[in-house]
Amino acid sequence: MRLRYIPPRMPGTTSQSAGRSLLACEGMSKAEIESILDAAEKYRAMIDRREQSDLLRGKTVVNAFFEHSTRTRTSFEMAAKRLGAMAVNFDPGLSSTAKGETLADTVRTLDAMGVDSMVVRHASGGSAAFVARHVRATVVNAGDGRHEHPTQALLDAMTIRRALGTVEKKRVAIVGDVLHSRVARSNVHTLRALGAEVVLVGPRSMAPTDLKSAISSKIFNDLREGIAGADVIMTLRIQLERHARAQFPGGGEYARLFGITPARLEWAKKDGKVLVMHPGPCNRGVEVSREMLNDERCLMLEQVANGVAVRMAVLARACGAEQ
Ligand code: CP
């Protein structure tokens, strides 16, 4: 008997499971975001107790990362395994990508092996949506160029909610290389949907033009002005890999003007009661001072811990197994 591979739907058609894919935070409702965060709370408790579950037994999750990652890829793998799924890490460096295989052919090939959900990171904006048009599996965007990084924003929202009780009416200053940051884009949409007041702060050369209508306030080019009154300072990595040419004189100059230090937290609140976040990886001593990284107000590792929980919630949804 000849086995026949049934091709996936043609590009441009809509997936039956599109509602379970997570391609962007733009357009997500408050209720949708909160349901993921509520599920993630349950999974965070499971992780803290080092428990596992069989919720995704029989499901296959493929991590297809065409860009480097420490946190996102590892936490998606841990999330899938903690829920009992088979987690496969596709390595583009060892794949037929090097022989000229296109992205569409690569993901269709993986899909044909029987995948329930594909987690995709790629340097091109729109690549996750592109993949979703070529595969049967649900697709989770793990970062597409400078466009979006939805699970990062969800884990950031979870971190703020756990630390402050709510995101609503909190003032969040997103500081740094906003122009090139998919983290900033996803956070603006997520935090605004949850009722936060979001302001953007950074050098003129790194200020976005596309987010002006999505934020409640103007874009600040002065750190002291921009972080005034902030409950949370969300710092961003300088995305050197996305700079076509130098956007600032150097790390020392950036740190002098925009680096976050314990002393500068008093520019936000006189009592210095401000939370500092960074998605990682961090240019130590540039975006955040070394002293600040060791300060209990810096939540970087708490963000990482919440990342596994959020990705468990997202994978459960993507595999159609929400509890
Ligand atoms: N925050 C983040 O996406 O980190 P990685 O690039 O290490 O996954």
Side-chain angles (χ1 to χ4, degrees):
M1 188 181 74
R2 249 182 82 211
L3 289 176
R4 190 168 68 88
Y5 172 59
I6 302 164
R9 64 190 181 282
M10 293 304 290
T13 58
T14 310
S15 164
Q16 286 173 350
S17 52
R20 294 193 274 113
S21 286
L22 177 60
L23 303 179
C25 293
E26 186 172 9
M28 278 180 95
S29 68
K30 183 179 185 197
E32 201 178 354
I33 294 167
E34 283 182 339
S35 97
I36 293 174
L37 300 189
D38 291 345
E41 281 297 339
K42 195 180 58 188
Y43 293 127
R44 174 66 202 256
M46 243 178 87
I47 295 165
D48 290 345
R49 293 191 299 265
R50 297 291 184 270
E51 286 174 7
Q52 298 203 332
S53 114
D54 282 339
L55 186 69
L56 297 187
R57 184 193 282 271
K59 304 286 186 186
T60 302
V61 174
V62 168
N63 278 330
F65 277 54
F66 297 85
E67 257 193 352
H68 293 106
S69 168
T70 300
R71 281 145 279 267
T72 313
R73 194 180 90 152
T74 311
S75 59
F76 266 113
E77 183 181 354
M78 284 188 184
K81 286 179 172 167
R82 199 169 279 283
L83 290 175
M86 178 162 70
V88 177
N89 287 323
F90 165 75
D91 183 344
L94 294 174
S95 77
S96 292
T97 303
K99 300 175 195 163
E101 187 172 68
T102 65
L103 176 61
D105 281 340
T106 300
V107 295
R108 287 170 69 138
T109 300
L110 294 172
D111 193 48
M113 295 177 192
V115 176
D116 295 285
S117 191
M118 206 176 287
V119 182
V120 180
R121 171 172 287 193
H122 196 279
S124 299
S127 49
F130 174 84
V131 170
R133 290 198 299 273
H134 285 82
V135 298
R136 289 168 185 276
T138 54
V139 174
V140 178
N141 182 2
D144 60 333
R146 64 167 82 170
H147 174 228
E148 282 226 29
H149 190 349
T151 54
Q152 179 69 45
L154 291 168
L155 73 88
D156 289 339
M158 179 179 178
T159 303
I160 295 172
R161 201 172 79 157
R162 284 173 74 89
L164 300 178
T166 180
V167 175
E168 196 164 2
K169 296 194 167 63
K170 299 300 177 194
R171 187 176 171 93
V172 182
I174 302 181
V175 178
D177 187 3
V178 183
L179 178 65
H180 301 96
S181 175
R182 54 196 177 205
V183 173
R185 269 175 195 77
S186 286
N187 261 297
V188 164
H189 297 302
T190 303
L191 296 173
R192 291 279 287 147
L194 294 176
E197 184 193 354
V198 183
V199 299
L200 304 178
V201 189
R204 245 174 251 287
S205 59
M206 298 178 190
T209 49
D210 62 314
L211 284 174
K212 273 189 181 148
S213 59
I215 58 167
S216 51
S217 183
K218 65 175 184 167
I219 297 172
F220 295 90
N221 303 123
D222 178 85
L223 183 66
R224 187 190 281 260
E225 266 183 56
I227 64 174
D231 299 294
V232 179
I233 299 173
M234 185 178 285
T235 57
L236 301 171
R237 183 174 66 85
I238 300 171
Q239 312 267 305
L240 287 174
E241 73 276 24
R242 296 190 213 290
H243 292 189
R245 57 187 168 77
Q247 308 280 318
F248 59 107
E253 179 70 356
Y254 181 90
R256 190 176 70 75
L257 293 172
F258 293 99
I260 302 300
T261 65
R264 287 179 170 181
L265 296 192
E266 288 168 29
W267 294 354
K269 294 261 177 74
K270 276 203 171 66
D271 61 6
K273 283 194 180 162
V274 187
L275 300 176
V276 175
M277 298 170 69
H278 191 300
C282 180
N283 294 304
R284 284 181 161 263
V286 179
E287 298 109 13
V288 182
S289 72
R290 288 179 172 79
E291 194 189 359
M292 189 74 249
L293 287 169
N294 294 326
D295 191 295
E296 62 181 14
R297 291 167 292 182
C298 180
L299 301 182
M300 255 185 98
L301 293 180
E302 187 60 16
Q303 289 170 263
V304 173
N306 291 333
V308 182
V310 157
R311 285 160 184 143
M312 288 169 78
V314 167
L315 287 180
R317 186 178 100 131
C319 291
E322 287 158 294
Q323 280 179 322

